[in-house]
Amino acid sequence: PAVAARRAPLAGRPATGSTGTTLPDGPTLADVAAHATSEDCWLAIGGNAYDVTAYLTDHPGGSRTITPFCGLEATEAFATEDGRGEHSEEAVALLADYLVGALVG
């Protein structure tokens, strides 16, 4: 719900993940799928790609709650805390710190 409606401002900058990979045209779902491990974890949420690798160890529920979704479209899982509730506004705002870019294609 709130996640799908929110998009962090991209200001025309090229998308860059934690590995330093620059995606001038923006990330695709195929790009997200290429980052599907706990050592390199991207999620697609609300039309954006996020590199959450650095956040895995900081997640209050532990990395095990995120890693099953690495490389996947995870909007519903994020919005419903994988069926257990919903993330706080703070958690939604935190996504901006991990934004790679708006999904294309």
Side-chain angles (χ1 to χ4, degrees), residues 1-104:
V3 176
R6 275 186 118 142
R7 287 187 182 253
L10 300 177
R13 67 177 169 79
T16 306
S18 69
T19 60
T21 304
T22 300
L23 306 166
D25 297 326
T28 64
L29 283 175
D31 293 320
V32 172
H35 301 273
T37 69
S38 59
E39 291 80 30
D40 183 18
C41 180
W42 287 21
L43 306 173
I45 300 173
N48 291 316
Y50 298 91
D51 179 349
V52 297
T53 309
Y55 183 69
L56 292 177
T57 57
D58 295 332
H59 187 269
S63 63
R64 71 186 177 285
T65 61
I66 299 175
T67 54
F69 301 99
C70 293
L72 300 175
E73 164 41 67
T75 301
E76 184 175 342
F78 181 82
T80 66
E81 280 195 342
D82 200 21
R84 294 184 299 274
E86 62 183 38
H87 278 95
S88 66
E89 283 297 314
E90 292 82 13
V92 173
L94 187 62
L95 282 176
D97 294 342
Y98 302 97
L99 180 67
V100 174
L103 291 168
V104 296

